Amino acid sequence: MEKQYEVYCLKDRLFYDVLDGQESPAFSIVDEPLPDGWQRVPRSEWVVYVPPAQEIPAQGWKIHISASHDNAADVLVRVRDHCVPRGVSFKHLRSVNVLLMRNAKYSPRGASGKLVTIYPRDEAELATLLTELGDILKGQPGPYILSDLRIGEGPLYVRYGGFIERHCEDEDGRLVAAIEDGEGRLVPDRRNPVFTVPPWVTLPACLVPHLEARNAVTMTDVPYEVKEALHFSNGGGVYAGEDTRTGRRVVLKEGRPHAGLAADGADAVTRVRREHDILRLLAGIDGVPAALDYFVVGEHHFLVEEFVEGRPLNGFFAERHPLLDPEPAPEDLAAYTEWAMKIYAGTERIIRKVHARGVAFNDLHMFNIMVGPDDTVSLIDFEAAAPAAEQRRQTLANPGFLAPPDRRGTDIDLYSLACLKIALFMPTTNLFMLDLAKAAHLAEVIAEWFPVPEGYLQQAVDEINRGEPGRRPIPRFAPEPAGWRDARGALSTAILASATPGRDDRLFPGDIQQFGSGGLGLAYGAAGVLYALDVTGCEVSPRHVEWLADHATDPPRGTGLGLYDGLHGAAYGLAHLGQLGAAARVADICLGDRWEKLGVDLHGGLSGIALNLDHLADVLASPTLREAADRATRLVADHVETADATPARPGLMRGLSGPALMLIRRYERTGETHLLDLAARAIGLDLDGCTTDKNGALHVQDGNRVLPYLARGSVGIGMVIDDYLTHREDQRFREASARIRTAALTRYYAQSGLFSGRAGMLLHLARRRDTRAATHVRDLAWHALSYGGGLSFPGENLLRMSMDLGTGTAGVLLAMGAALHDRPVHLPFLGESKPPARTLAGTAITQPARG
């Protein structure tokens, strides 16, 4: 699970949302008067103070100031009283609650700890401010800012970075903050949890002593050697190590002061101390590691524990779970059931012994259960454990095991044990945060597939639903006309119920990516949702179309340009909905930007842009757009022609299959066979990044993972291969297509979405008119959630619902429509292939592009 998603869960219980500082009262200085000429500008969770003469550079060395919950208001007043008379620009977090959330255990480590940012105009002012503020803030406590260089022993830190808002794409195609490198190119302004100096920047003389002091802090005086980092959080690291005196393997748990806060406000140091005390209380219980030592280095606290042999339970599913096979054998289902029940029984046994010592574990989940080579079970990570008699609420929890607020003490563990019993067979218990009725549904699915004893799961369902209203109907999807009408009505009802036309940053709730891209594009924005509604025959509100037109023709700064991540997607959607004037204005905005500098991918790069420019040139009869399409096509073709290695992220959206799709569509338009040659080259390079599993299924190899998915996986490649094969035979591609079909037949997928889940498999099979598509239609109900009188689907990581095309309900609607609707339904430019245009005397006869 990507940790940045948890930050977007803090504001709303059902949908990902951005913190804007309005959730709690602001710091008092926000309402206090400023001298004439000063401006106070609220920006989401920050408040910016702009002096009368704004002279700050675009980037440089900036000062960060940290603070804790107790002293933050005092620190702010001191900083303001020093900076305002000197005309120094600065910003601060809006409220103490935002500060606490940024310092939470699983908040992004690179941004943690920052309360104030100050923008010196040059290095001389940097040196002066550090000296003066160092005296003013001496002794003020605050968390260490990992991305920065600490100045002395106070709360002052420094990092080189951007002062103004600029953006570029990172290696994963995400729109991120940018700075200029030594050659004037925009590159990511990285906020990694370690201090670094960009290679083109010289460290100022005033910072040299502080860097030397930082480098002087080591662990050379302690009798332990760190061998491997096992895990990081905002509270510190967990390391595998060795006792240099005995050679014994140990685990070292780090606690950072004032950082990694839990719900009760306890920092990582407090929790490490608690864990030390709890482990001593539980000494001698088989399956509980022993506490061996405790020491402090550079204000960081370290607990030394016994090393537990084995692997975390969550790591076993990819290799053992039988529903990852297209046709699981009964003997495999029975063997897995026996193993899962054994793991559960071992875990329950330890928890009962812990309870007998008067302790509540409070944080049971699959990452904290270690399974040894002989399938024996141990528990790790007792930092949230507490005396059961104190009846504490849960302060740290894995989302799939988060107990309802009414559970206290050992009841928290009983709830988590119930979740574990289900998760061992269907590891999608994150859905319980959104709808506890899913427990009964998943138990029903488990009983259909696995030979669990009768009644084995009922206790777990009863425990999870304790105190909840009576059982609600379980959602069903039927792959037939009546079932399609019911499903379409339920999904569109939920989508329309979620709309927020009064907001400017989004129309429909979706993935967290919408907050960096204006909420406009096909993947995560309004254009994709409205497109899915329209092509499946659902109601499209004129008010929602107007919202898209208004916001796309006046886009927020930093909005992407691409087909799926930004304005070209909005233009496509507007043209599809008949808003040709607005589509033309958006296209003009795109052409006025530096679009030729983008990458070549389909998601946000030139391949998607070329496809859309050709399409809009037809719809709008625009020679200017056609010329731009020609230019984009040439740039992509040049890249493919010179590419000599598998891309970092093979697949439809980020790899070379997107350029191949564009080249195939161009070939259909012009009949130029060299475009088909280049498409074959691009597909081949993506296939070089694939691997075949034990079932003969072809997947993209991604480190230790294999990916079958539509956006970044083999199924997306397969869709382009199938289009290629309608024009030219290729034995390698034909064999790959068959193996990719196998990858799309797996019975269990962790997620339901179009880009990274079951809906993408359904779209692929529906496009092939494959009879196995019906199975995915039925099984999509496993993830369906009640919302707004209809049914919705969870987004990425299953932490919140999503309505967007790429990750949520609109994508499921489109995929089901591709299988069941009475008219063709497809993603843009992924409809039926067409014969190529004929050429006469070397001149291409153009044909209208597909929609």
Side-chain angles (χ1 to χ4, degrees):
M1 181 177 62
E2 298 177 68
K3 295 300 183 184
Q4 66 264 33
Y5 277 82
E6 294 194 8
V7 178
Y8 290 85
C9 295
L10 296 171
K11 184 174 182 180
D12 191 279
R13 192 183 70 82
L14 296 179
F15 299 113
Y16 293 121
D17 210 342
V18 65
L19 293 171
D20 57 12
Q22 305 294 331
E23 301 82 9
S24 60
F27 287 112
S28 61
I29 73 166
V30 171
D31 299 317
E32 296 174 5
L34 289 169
D36 290 344
W38 274 82
Q39 298 179 60
R40 182 186 287 116
V41 184
R43 288 184 180 173
S44 185
E45 57 191 319
W46 293 95
V47 180
V48 183
Y49 293 76
V50 182
Q54 179 74 333
E55 302 171 357
I56 65 170
Q59 61 194 55
W61 291 96
K62 51 182 162 184
I63 300 171
H64 290 123
I65 299 173
S66 72
S68 66
H69 173 278
D70 295 329
N71 68 326
D74 178 48
V75 166
L76 281 181
V77 171
R78 297 187 191 201
V79 171
R80 178 202 59 188
D81 290 349
H82 187 77
C83 289
V84 169
R86 291 159 179 80
V88 177
S89 181
F90 67 99
K91 69 177 182 180
H92 66 79
L93 293 176
R94 179 180 178 85
S95 70
V96 71
N97 276 9
V98 176
L99 175 65
L100 290 174
M101 291 171 183
R102 277 180 159 259
N103 288 341
K105 181 176 181 180
Y106 291 117
S107 294
R109 298 170 67 224
S112 173
K114 300 170 187 175
L115 171 67
V116 181
T117 303
I118 300 174
Y119 303 100
R121 283 164 282 212
D122 51 38
E123 291 185 8
E125 186 167 64
L126 169 71
T128 300
L129 287 169
L130 290 176
T131 299
E132 294 173 350
L133 286 170
D135 292 336
I136 293 170
L137 300 175
K138 186 176 181 179
Q140 292 289 336
Y144 197 106
I145 301 175
L146 296 172
S147 61
D148 288 27
L149 175 65
R150 189 177 190 181
I151 306 301
E153 298 181 358
L156 292 177
Y157 298 81
V158 170
R159 182 180 75 85
Y160 189 92
F163 287 12
I164 64 173
E165 190 175 341
R166 293 184 289 182
H167 296 88
C168 69
E169 284 194 345
D170 66 6
E171 296 82 355
D172 293 323
R174 299 178 187 274
L175 206 63
V176 297
I179 55 176
E180 288 186 13
D181 66 9
E183 298 179 4
R185 298 171 303 191
L186 287 179
V187 297
D189 183 4
R190 302 191 185 278
R191 294 168 171 83
N192 296 327
V194 61
F195 174 69
T196 58
V197 181
W200 66 90
V201 174
T202 301
L203 189 74
C206 66
L207 301 182
V208 171
H210 303 287
L211 182 60
E212 293 173 347
R214 171 186 178 275
N215 294 337
V217 179
T218 68
M219 294 182 65
T220 56
D221 294 331
V222 299
Y224 302 99
E225 181 182 354
V226 172
K227 296 292 188 180
E228 179 187 3
L230 301 177
H231 171 70
F232 285 108
S233 74
N234 200 15
V238 180
Y239 309 92
E242 180 182 286
D243 188 326
T244 57
R245 297 164 297 187
T246 64
R248 180 180 185 179
R249 299 178 72 188
V250 296
V251 169
L252 293 90
K253 294 196 64 174
E254 176 189 21
R256 298 175 53 222
H258 311 295
L261 304 181
D264 61 354
D267 69 357
V269 169
T270 300
R271 293 197 306 279
V272 166
R273 286 172 172 161
R274 287 177 182 171
E275 181 166 7
H276 178 254
D277 294 341
I278 289 290
L279 290 180
R280 294 178 66 184
L281 180 61
L282 300 177
I285 295 179
D286 190 28
V288 175
L292 304 176
D293 199 357
Y294 194 99
F295 62 89
V296 181
V297 173
E299 300 182 13
H300 291 211
H301 290 234
F302 290 86
L303 167 63
V304 183
E305 297 180 6
E306 174 188 7
F307 185 89
V308 176
E309 293 288 348
R311 291 190 292 153
L313 176 58
N314 68 292
F316 284 81
F317 291 96
E319 63 190 50
R320 298 192 69 144
H321 204 290
L323 293 190
L324 297 180
D325 294 343
E327 299 292 346
E331 57 269 25
D332 292 336
L333 293 164
Y336 182 85
T337 300
E338 182 181 358
W339 176 82
M341 293 176 64
K342 178 181 180 180
I343 298 303
Y344 176 81
T347 305
E348 183 183 38
R349 205 161 34 242
I350 299 173
I351 289 294
R352 297 295 183 186
K353 290 180 180 180
V354 169
H355 288 181
R357 295 275 183 97
V359 173
F361 185 56
N362 285 334
D363 193 21
L364 179 68
H365 56 80
M366 292 185 182
F367 292 83
N368 286 347
I369 299 170
M370 297 290 287
V371 180
D374 57 353
D375 289 339
T376 56
V377 174
S378 301
L379 297 185
I380 60 171
D381 200 357
F382 282 75
E383 66 179 69
E390 294 181 2
Q391 289 290 292
R392 294 184 186 178
R393 290 181 59 177
Q394 206 166 13
T395 58
L396 289 173
N398 177 281
F401 295 77
L402 176 63
D406 63 324
R407 311 296 170 97
R408 303 289 182 99
T410 56
D411 279 355
I412 293 171
D413 294 340
L414 298 181
Y415 177 89
S416 298
L417 280 170
C419 291
L420 176 65
K421 185 175 280 191
I422 291 175
L424 278 162
F425 297 93
M426 297 290 289
T428 49
T429 54
N430 282 8
L431 299 177
F432 299 169
M433 292 194 303
L434 303 171
D435 188 352
L436 287 176
K438 295 307 291 184
H441 188 181
L442 295 184
E444 177 185 278
V445 173
I446 294 167
E448 290 174 1
W449 280 99
F450 297 91
V452 294
E454 185 175 355
Y456 178 72
L457 298 171
Q458 189 57 52
Q459 177 273 333
V461 173
D462 292 343
E463 178 63 39
I464 290 166
N465 286 286
R466 190 204 308 175
E468 287 295 305
R471 179 170 173 171
R472 296 197 299 272
I474 289 175
R476 314 283 184 192
F477 293 133
E480 57 192 31
W484 165 234
R485 288 193 297 272
D486 291 344
R488 180 176 59 182
L491 270 58
S492 62
T493 294
I495 290 171
L496 294 174
S498 75
T500 54
R503 291 179 63 152
D504 287 323
D505 59 341
R506 74 167 192 212
L507 177 57
F508 299 100
D511 190 73
I512 66 174
Q513 294 299 311
Q514 67 181 192
F515 297 114
S517 60
L520 301 171
L522 285 174
Y524 314 116
V529 177
L530 297 178
Y531 172 80
L533 288 169
D534 185 71
V535 298
T536 55
C538 301
E539 173 191 356
V540 176
S541 167
R543 186 183 181 193
H544 297 164
V545 177
E546 181 182 358
W547 187 98
L548 177 60
D550 289 346
H551 289 77
T553 53
D554 184 20
R557 189 173 181 178
T559 301
L561 298 179
L563 179 63
Y564 278 91
D565 73 348
L567 291 177
H568 269 283
Y572 179 91
L574 289 166
H576 175 83
L577 296 166
Q579 303 296 308
L580 299 186
R585 291 196 296 278
V586 176
D588 286 342
I589 293 171
C590 292
L591 291 184
D593 211 322
R594 298 192 298 174
W595 59 273
E596 292 170 299
K597 302 292 186 183
L598 295 171
V600 299
D601 62 272
L602 180 67
H603 189 270
L606 293 172
S607 294
I609 288 172
L611 285 164
N612 196 46
L613 287 170
D614 260 338
H615 171 66
L616 293 178
D618 288 337
V619 173
L620 302 173
S622 169
T624 301
L625 295 179
R626 182 77 68 211
E627 291 172 6
D630 293 343
R631 173 64 176 153
T633 300
R634 287 194 297 273
L635 289 169
V636 174
D638 289 346
H639 178 89
V640 172
E641 196 160 19
T642 58
D644 59 0
T646 297
R649 294 161 293 154
L652 177 64
M653 290 294 168
R654 308 289 190 184
L656 286 174
S657 293
L661 173 66
M662 186 276 293
L663 292 164
I664 293 168
R665 296 294 172 249
R666 256 292 167 140
Y667 163 72
E668 294 171 354
R669 176 183 291 277
T670 67
E672 299 172 65
T673 57
H674 80 281
L675 296 172
L676 209 56
D677 298 337
L678 288 173
R681 176 177 175 77
I683 294 169
L685 288 170
D686 262 4
L687 286 178
D688 289 344
C690 293
T691 187
T692 302
D693 70 9
K694 61 183 176 66
N695 298 310
L698 193 70
H699 301 264
V700 166
Q701 184 76 53
D702 181 52
N704 295 325
R705 303 182 302 167
V706 292
L707 306 177
Y709 305 115
L710 184 148
R712 187 177 176 182
S714 56
V715 159
I717 300 172
M719 295 175 77
V720 180
I721 286 176
D722 291 346
D723 280 0
Y724 179 90
L725 290 172
T726 64
H727 300 297
R728 180 189 289 173
E729 185 56 40
D730 185 293
Q731 186 62 29
R732 182 194 185 194
F733 292 177
R734 183 70 64 183
E735 292 173 358
S737 177
R739 292 182 180 277
I740 290 169
R741 175 185 179 269
T742 302
L745 300 180
T746 298
R747 304 314 300 258
Y748 173 81
Y749 295 94
Q751 302 194 123
S752 54
L754 187 66
F755 280 9
S756 302
R758 188 185 297 274
M761 310 299 132
L762 172 58
L763 180 65
H764 177 57
L765 295 176
R767 205 166 169 264
R768 299 169 59 110
R769 297 177 176 84
D770 195 307
T771 57
R772 288 290 296 271
T775 299
H776 286 322
V777 170
R778 295 187 187 95
D779 292 347
L780 273 166
W782 296 1
H783 285 83
L785 301 161
S786 297
Y787 177 75
L791 293 174
S792 70
F793 283 82
E796 203 75 6
N797 292 302
L798 310 184
L799 299 176
R800 292 293 184 267
M801 299 181 196
S802 170
M803 300 298 171
D804 67 33
L805 182 70
T807 70
T809 310
V812 174
L813 175 66
L814 183 134
M816 293 183 72
L820 304 173
H821 196 42
D822 56 6
R823 293 188 300 276
V825 174
H826 53 79
L827 280 173
F829 310 112
L830 273 165
E832 295 290 335
S833 292
K834 296 180 179 180
R838 295 181 178 179
T839 58
L840 295 175
T843 302
I845 301 174
T846 59
Q847 297 178 350
R850 72 192 62 244

